[in-house]
Amino acid sequence: MSKTDFVGKPEKKVDGRKLVLGKPVFTDDFRLPGMLYAELLVSPHAHARIKNIDASKALALPGVVKVLTYKDLPRVNYASGGQSYPQPLPFDQVSLDDKVRHVGDRVALVAAETPELAQKALRLINVEYEVLPHVTDMEAAMKDGAPVIHDEPGVEGIFDTQHNVIYHIDEHVGDIEKAFAEADHVFEREFRTPKQHHAQMELHACITYWDEDDRLVVRTSTQVPFHVRRIIAPLIGLPIKRIRVVKPRIGGGFGGKQEILLEDLCAHMTIATGRPVRLQYSRRQEFMSGRSRHPQIIKFKLAVKDNEVTGTELRLIGDTGAYASHGLTVQMVAGLKSLTLYNAPNSHFLCDVVYTNTPPAGAFRGYGTMQCEFALEVMMEEIAEKLGLDVIEFKRKNLIKVGDNMWVAQKLGEGREGYAQVMTTSAFDECLKIGVEATDFYNKRKAYQNQSGSKRKGIGVATVMHGSGIAGLDMGAATLKMNDDGSFNLQMGATDLGTGSDTILAQMAAEILSIPVEDFIVYSSDTDFTPFDTGAYASSTTYISGGAVRNVALEIKKQIQAHAADMLEWKNPEELELRDRKVIAPDGRSVTFEQVALSSTHQMNQHQIMATASHMSYMSPPPTAAQFVEVEVDTETGEVKVERMLMVVDCGRVINPITAAGQVEGGMQQALGFAHSEFSLFDESGDMVNARLAEYHAYKAHEMPATDVIFVQTDDPNGPFGAKSISELAIDGVAPALVSAIHDATGVWIRELPLTPEKVWRSLNQ
């Protein structure tokens, strides 16, 4: 790797100062004169028709300005998942409907002069429901006679309405039946994963208002501002040119804000009242009206011949809840990534995506991959044990190698056909070697073989991979403009969710222009003033948006060299070096960036040094990692104490080690909750009984075990400065490594998450 001045350095976050000082940077920090406060009335029933709504008592309350119901809004179908055009069908939602399909579904919107008045008005709205039979179990939803959740006319794209099956996927490569027939061993296992919630600190929030040019401004906490604008335009009856979407700082997203949840309703209310409107979820609404991870039933069947995996079949059922949202794409990514990890030449993916009367699932960090890689990794270790093989060497032998074609990539794109992929870089071997040495893996496994007493220790391992953007689909753009003092405005559509992407993208520009990061004023995600970006999802920002920043910085470098060459009367601009805010000629003469800026705008051949560039890629290079987890299990109670987690990560070249380490540490924390403690519990009425942070156990900072990150840097030829993605890879490995560690401690395999004390105890005592 070549020496760099800014890339690879632990630069401070460009937004760090204003965040720690508590500046008003988030959506809900903003207030406008005359702003109304909106509150959402949601369904208390899992499945019902609305026979009538009477809002007269609410409207009679002084200070209540407007109530919107399905009677007041046009019926325009859409899909709320913030995905690229054209969005996958079905468009199975409308802004307000006369049927509700889960507890927490939209019923009415109230706007009042204060939040308290709006909440009081909700209690005065009389809704007459016809309660319908409901189903919350995905397998039950597919059976004959189950309640039909989407029976409305005019919705296209549902595979089997009567059995609540939205999508049916059946794709294969090679000859899977031949692989099973010729195998030395065939293994089959079933796994189940829970409905996890994002539990981000900042609630969903949106403020809409008319600007002085009679254009609608939507200030919203979103990962996908450009998708928001495109999706709400037909819903609210405005052309895109009359809508501006502004993304401020975001207090956590993790995929939950890759969804259009509040923006259309808030805009409808501003249009109806002519006034600014603020709408924010409560914490309970985050659980019941927001989005979650897809619960899955995962069945793997593997063929092994000469200790090599020659065939893999994945049968998957995904529960998308009441609306399709990301149901198709999450399951397709699950199939693509898990079937590629060991890359059997004979593979079969069979999948059903199912409606249930539960709050919709959507995008969530890991996006299907973490569920299926959990199942596959546990199964691979169990196979190694049954065959008497060393688990590290068995996995190492079978993992995808550099130069291998990814066999299923073309069949399984994201909601459409994909593109052929080749593994360009990988550090699986190095990650495993370093992790084994750092944890003393083999000595601990040997020591734990003959434990006594009720407290048993174990160490587990998993290997995982992810992707870097969506091949052939994601696109990002960036603009650079030089100011009079030689500083720059860097304007990007890329959305910083708190990940530090604004900082690392500025570091890339700084590296090319050889100036400090502090010389960039960074703006991101305003649909009027920043160029397009598909949004912060699919682990695309570093790889895709970073490519755009690299391209635009190279163009600006050429413009600076060209103008400085005129100033210095130097014939060949490309011979001029940029260093320390100067342009230096081979003979030692130089001009400063400030002199170049002043000359270009005020004196010589006057023009603005400015450019816009885009980037997309038909490659999605996978980052790779090895995950290690150490535990102590109380065999009398089933309690599992996680003592240490280590992830050894290849994300290509690390742009900022501080923000990268933060991504891995945060990912492991979220993954530990998924594996150990987080789940959604529904009662017989379809209501979630643990829809509060007091009962929903996400890991808190003081509960975390020792958590370590080691980076193994590769140099991917497709990524900016050799970088690949990191944020989603960080969440993929904890669950299988935790199950592996519990097995090492107790000898028991557990195939259903989360690993609650009761579940572990029952497994130990069966």
Side-chain angles (χ1 to χ4, degrees), residues 490-651:
L490 174 58
Q491 298 165 293
M492 304 171 293
T495 305
D496 193 329
L497 306 180
T499 58
S501 65
D502 282 0
T503 305
I504 65 166
L505 296 175
Q507 285 180 252
M508 293 183 190
E511 186 65 44
I512 289 169
L513 298 179
S514 298
I515 59 173
V517 171
E518 66 195 47
D519 285 1
F520 293 90
I521 303 99
V522 182
Y523 297 89
S524 63
S525 303
D526 181 324
T527 58
D528 268 14
F529 300 115
T530 60
F532 178 82
D533 192 285
T534 46
Y537 61 90
S539 298
S540 64
T541 303
T542 299
Y543 181 69
I544 295 294
S545 306
V549 169
R550 180 180 180 276
N551 291 344
V552 75
L554 288 170
E555 173 57 31
I556 289 294
K557 180 179 180 179
K558 289 180 183 178
Q559 292 185 27
I560 291 171
Q561 287 172 318
H563 194 82
D566 290 341
M567 295 172 69
L568 295 168
E569 297 181 342
W570 193 264
K571 185 176 181 181
N572 297 315
E574 65 276 6
E575 294 177 354
L576 302 180
E577 181 186 0
L578 275 58
R579 188 174 73 246
D580 300 328
R581 299 185 175 110
K582 295 178 181 178
V583 188
I584 305 168
D587 63 5
R589 291 181 301 129
S590 67
V591 290
T592 67
F593 272 31
E594 182 177 8
Q595 289 171 326
V596 171
L598 290 169
S599 172
S600 62
T601 53
H602 298 285
Q603 296 171 307
M604 179 187 294
N605 185 27
Q606 287 171 264
H607 67 286
Q608 172 70 65
I609 293 179
M610 182 176 181
T612 297
S614 304
H615 180 68
M616 63 84 67
S617 175
Y618 289 101
M619 297 297 294
S620 177
T624 61
Q627 178 77 59
F628 295 83
V629 171
E630 298 184 50
V631 302
E632 181 183 80
V633 182
D634 187 330
T635 58
E636 292 182 350
T637 65
E639 183 179 3
V640 177
K641 180 183 178 184
V642 181
E643 296 184 326
R644 183 188 181 190
M645 298 192 297
L646 166 67
M647 196 172 205
V648 189
V649 179
D650 149 41
C651 59

Side-chain angles (χ1 to χ4, degrees), residues 79-84 87-90 92-93 166-167 169 198 223-224 227 231 255-261 291-294 296 318-321 323-334 353 360-364 367-368 414-415 470 536-538:
S80 62
Q83 305 191 68
S84 290
Q87 287 174 268
L89 296 173
D92 56 4
Q93 295 169 260
I166 319 157
Y167 308 106
I169 308 166
H198 302 83
Q223 299 175 220
V224 286
H227 293 340
I231 290 169
K257 291 176 180 172
Q258 194 195 334
E259 198 92 17
I260 287 69
L261 293 181
R291 297 295 182 261
S292 65
R293 189 179 301 286
H294 288 75
Q296 290 181 342
D319 178 356
T320 193
Y323 299 103
S325 184
H326 291 259
L328 173 63
T329 48
V330 164
Q331 319 315 319
M332 289 187 77
V333 170
V353 186
F364 198 145
Y367 209 76
E414 190 146 339
I470 307 170
Y537 61 90

Side-chain angles (χ1 to χ4, degrees), residues 17-31:
R17 178 178 171 79
K18 62 188 176 187
L19 291 174
V20 299
L21 289 176
K23 299 288 187 180
V25 298
F26 297 98
T27 295
D28 199 43
D29 291 332
F30 191 59
R31 292 293 181 271

Side-chain angles (χ1 to χ4, degrees), residues 171-180 183 185 187 300-305 307-314 335-349 376-377 379-380 383 394-395 397-401 404-412 421 423 428 465:
E171 295 287 357
H172 71 275
V173 294
D175 189 336
I176 190 68
E177 294 304 325
K178 183 179 179 183
F180 289 139
H185 308 277
F187 299 89
F300 270 111
K301 183 177 179 181
L302 269 62
V304 179
K305 184 177 178 61
N307 296 335
E308 290 190 10
V309 178
T310 56
T312 305
E313 181 176 77
L314 170 57
L336 167 62
K337 298 301 192 327
S338 61
L339 292 174
T340 299
L341 182 59
Y342 293 100
N343 206 38
N346 308 289
S347 295
H348 182 206
F349 181 49
L376 181 60
E377 280 300 281
M379 190 168 174
M380 284 292 288
I383 291 171
F394 180 59
K395 289 184 176 184
K397 179 178 182 178
N398 283 281
L399 286 162
I400 186 171
K401 306 295 191 296
D404 285 355
N405 292 313
M406 301 180 192
W407 299 116
V408 299
Q410 200 156 353
K411 292 290 184 73
L412 297 176
Q421 302 287 301
M423 194 73 169
F428 272 132
M465 59 175 272

Side-chain angles (χ1 to χ4, degrees), residues 445-496:
R445 282 229 156 163
K446 184 176 180 181
Y448 298 157
Q449 286 178 358
N450 299 302
Q451 298 181 78
S452 60
S454 63
K455 303 287 182 70
R456 307 287 178 89
K457 290 185 178 290
I459 183 169
V461 63
T463 48
V464 289
M465 59 175 272
H466 210 88
S468 301
I470 307 170
L473 187 63
D474 283 346
M475 189 274 278
T479 297
L480 261 178
K481 177 173 72 72
M482 194 176 201
N483 299 315
D484 284 7
D485 62 351
S487 67
F488 290 86
N489 293 100
L490 174 58
Q491 298 165 293
M492 304 171 293
T495 305
D496 193 329

